[in-house]
Amino acid sequence: MLRRWGHLCTLPWVAVLLRVLVGGVFVFAGFSKLLLPHAEVIEHIQQYQVLPGWLVSITATFLPWIEVW
């Protein structure tokens, strides 16, 4: 399997394309969160149940800006 896909890593345009795609996902996710009310972003982050309660509000404040940046 690696032989089939391994040659793609040597092509510079593949790396650029992947960077643009991943960057586009982050920019889209960040802007979609910036357009929502802050309380709704908090609810979305709370649904994952990964962060402690005191960290959810801070994350909801800074995460969209970090994703866009």
Side-chain angles (χ1 to χ4, degrees):
M1 181 92 174
L2 283 177
R3 277 190 224 155
R4 189 182 318 165
W5 298 102
H7 71 282
L8 290 176
C9 296
T10 61
L11 301 173
W13 63 269
V14 174
V16 172
L17 178 65
L18 288 174
R19 286 175 137 183
V20 169
L21 288 173
V22 172
V25 169
F26 276 105
V27 169
F28 177 78
F31 275 124
S32 66
K33 286 183 189 86
L34 286 173
L35 296 175
L36 294 174
H38 186 68
E40 196 169 335
V41 177
I42 289 174
E43 289 177 20
H44 285 274
I45 293 174
Q46 282 177 336
Q47 288 176 357
Y48 286 105
Q49 297 179 353
V50 175
L51 300 173
W54 62 270
L55 192 56
V56 171
S57 180
I58 297 168
T59 303
T61 302
F62 293 109
L63 181 64
W65 295 105
I66 292 171
E67 287 176 336
V68 170
W69 176 55

